[in-house]
Amino acid sequence: MGNPLPVSAQVLRDRGVDLPLDDITAFLLARVSDAVRAHVPWQEDAKRLLEATVAAGIPCALVTMSYTRLADAFLAAVPDAFAVVVTGDRVARGKPDPEAYLTAARELGVDITRCVAVEDSPAGVGSAWSSGAKTVGVRRLVPIEPRADLSRVRSLEGWSVKTLSEVAGGRVVDDLGDEI
């Protein structure tokens, strides 16, 4: 859920997988890459918003803690969607550290405070929010805790480029209220 692969490998090792961490990471990469190449597991609302954003000519970055091999499998399905891709094997400190988002903004040539990041994991939200990007936390599988100026939604259904522009301008959307 947004963690760097070595962290996920360590969790599996701690839960009984009796392999070296590098072997666990390699297995995860191979297995998931093959699955993604066969079928990209889209969140349809996110896919529609990405397509609209790209069609509007807004440069997008993919910031993922997956390694390049896995990201490449995903990117094959959307080869022109992202102007910049920052993967977990390109940064020294993974999410929730802001390094990946700051790298993406620098490579896009934009001020991070003018960026809108959409995330669905606590580590990703922490990374984006700490970077200074306007952050939208989508509650998919795990709770998204409230933070100052953090938008939190159940889905991106009904979101448009206009909504993203409003968030970029400072609007905060919180559909979750007191819910964590």
Side-chain angles (χ1 to χ4, degrees):
M1 288 303 310
N3 289 317
L5 275 173
V7 171
S8 297
Q10 185 63 55
V11 168
L12 291 171
R13 187 164 166 78
D14 292 347
R15 294 198 176 163
V17 175
D18 190 22
L19 292 170
L21 291 176
D22 287 345
D23 290 353
I24 296 171
T25 299
F27 175 81
L28 290 172
L29 280 171
R31 185 74 179 245
V32 176
S33 295
D34 290 346
V36 168
R37 283 190 199 286
H39 173 74
V40 175
W42 282 106
Q43 298 287 339
E44 286 301 321
D45 56 342
K47 181 180 181 186
R48 281 191 294 279
L49 184 57
L50 175 64
E51 289 169 346
T53 304
V54 171
I58 299 169
C60 297
L62 174 64
V63 177
T64 178
M65 289 300 91
S66 296
Y67 285 8
T68 300
R69 177 179 176 181
L70 177 53
D72 285 348
F74 170 74
L75 292 169
V78 287
D80 300 320
F82 298 101
V84 167
V85 178
V86 178
T87 56
D89 52 343
R90 289 196 49 217
V91 295
R93 295 171 310 280
K95 296 176 183 178
D97 188 275
E99 177 187 358
Y101 274 98
L102 294 170
T103 300
R106 184 178 64 252
E107 291 181 10
L108 283 171
V110 297
D111 182 325
I112 190 68
T113 62
R114 299 192 61 216
C115 296
V116 176
V118 178
E119 279 285 354
D120 65 357
S121 72
V125 167
S127 176
W129 185 84
S130 296
S131 75
K134 305 291 192 275
T135 305
V136 179
V138 183
R139 190 188 194 293
R140 299 270 188 214
L141 299 175
V142 294
I144 304 293
E145 293 190 21
R147 296 177 185 229
D149 298 321
L150 171 67
S151 291
R152 299 181 314 143
V153 298
R154 286 181 184 81
S155 93
L156 297 169
E157 194 64 44
W159 277 58
S160 65
V161 171
K162 181 178 185 271
T163 314
L164 289 176
S165 294
E166 291 170 353
V167 170
R171 178 179 172 210
V172 175
V173 178
D174 191 349
D175 294 342
L176 302 182
D178 293 337
E179 178 185 326
I180 291 182

